[in-house]
Amino acid sequence: MGQHTSRKEKYCKTYWIERRNFNNIDIQKSLKLSNSKFVEGSTKNIHFGLIHRFLHTRSRQAYISSESDSNCKYCLTLGLFNRETIIHCFLDCPKVIDFCPNLENILKLSEPNLVLTDYVKIFGARSKENISQIVMNYLIQYAHKCIWKNRQKLENKDIDINLWNDYKE
């Protein structure tokens, strides 16, 4: 039985290969790894939107409306003029670059030999073989949510990956 690949999935793979040279992307596997009863709906939605480039960034808004500014608000405060794209939001923004060592330290608690590559930051671990990789994939998805929520608030403060923030009254 052959595996069906949709036109949207091919477009998505082409995007990630062209922009970041991510080869051997398995979109369906990445989504299956994220599809757990322990992962809440909004976290799954952000992960899905990130992989498929559905998240609404400032550069997408500027493409739709000529009155919008496509520059990243965080970079503007540093005097930089970087377009806010999906890749910029989750990999290249100085705010995320500052956050990644903290994320890597958290992930190394469950996977001590981890090298946090850009591929892992976006797609997570390639397999669901053991509990440490399941935990790692969950934390990466939760980091996506924290990064995205921080950007939506447009607050110029550090990204917080406190798992209890969502459960405060």
Side-chain angles (χ1 to χ4, degrees):
M1 216 187 205
Q3 191 171 5
H4 174 70
T5 303
S6 70
R7 199 169 66 184
K8 287 181 183 178
E9 188 174 331
K10 287 179 184 174
Y11 177 73
C12 179
K13 284 182 180 183
T14 302
Y15 173 83
W16 288 109
I17 290 169
E18 288 176 356
R19 302 299 191 290
R20 283 295 189 191
N21 200 23
F22 291 159
N23 294 314
N24 303 321
I25 299 171
D26 189 344
I27 302 296
Q28 293 303 318
K29 188 172 187 177
S30 179
L31 293 175
K32 283 179 188 173
L33 292 173
S34 70
N35 196 11
S36 164
K37 62 183 176 185
F38 303 111
V39 179
E40 60 161 331
S42 64
T43 303
K44 288 180 190 178
N45 291 342
I46 292 170
H47 181 68
F48 182 88
L50 167 61
I51 289 173
H52 287 91
R53 302 178 38 242
F54 292 154
L55 297 178
H56 196 75
T57 61
R58 293 174 58 82
S59 65
R60 181 170 284 205
Q61 180 63 33
Y63 180 77
I64 295 169
S65 168
S66 61
E67 297 174 9
S68 297
D69 180 16
S70 67
N71 290 319
C72 171
K73 290 248 185 207
Y74 297 117
C75 289
L76 286 174
T77 63
L78 300 173
L80 304 171
F81 297 95
N82 294 316
R83 286 182 57 233
E84 185 183 87
T85 62
I86 292 284
I87 289 177
H88 179 78
C89 289
F90 290 93
L91 295 176
D92 294 341
C93 185
K95 179 150 309 259
V96 174
I97 291 170
D98 290 345
F99 169 68
C100 282
N102 297 333
L103 176 61
E104 188 169 15
N105 290 336
I106 291 168
L107 294 175
K108 282 189 175 187
L109 294 173
S110 68
E111 195 71 34
N113 298 324
L114 171 75
V115 176
L116 191 60
T117 64
D118 285 350
Y119 185 95
V120 171
K121 289 177 196 173
I122 299 296
F123 295 101
R126 290 183 183 256
S127 65
K128 194 175 185 176
E129 294 172 2
N130 58 41
I131 191 67
S132 66
Q133 288 186 339
I134 294 169
V135 169
M136 185 175 81
N137 285 330
Y138 172 74
L139 289 172
I140 288 170
Q141 288 177 63
Y142 195 78
H144 293 161
K145 180 179 179 179
C146 294
I147 291 167
W148 190 246
K149 283 179 73 174
N150 189 274
R151 294 193 84 79
Q152 299 311 301
K153 291 178 186 176
L154 297 177
E155 296 174 359
N156 198 9
K157 61 182 187 178
D158 292 337
I159 297 168
D160 183 14
I161 192 164
N162 184 345
L163 293 170
W164 303 112
N165 280 350
D166 289 340
Y167 303 102
K168 290 181 182 176
E169 293 183 323

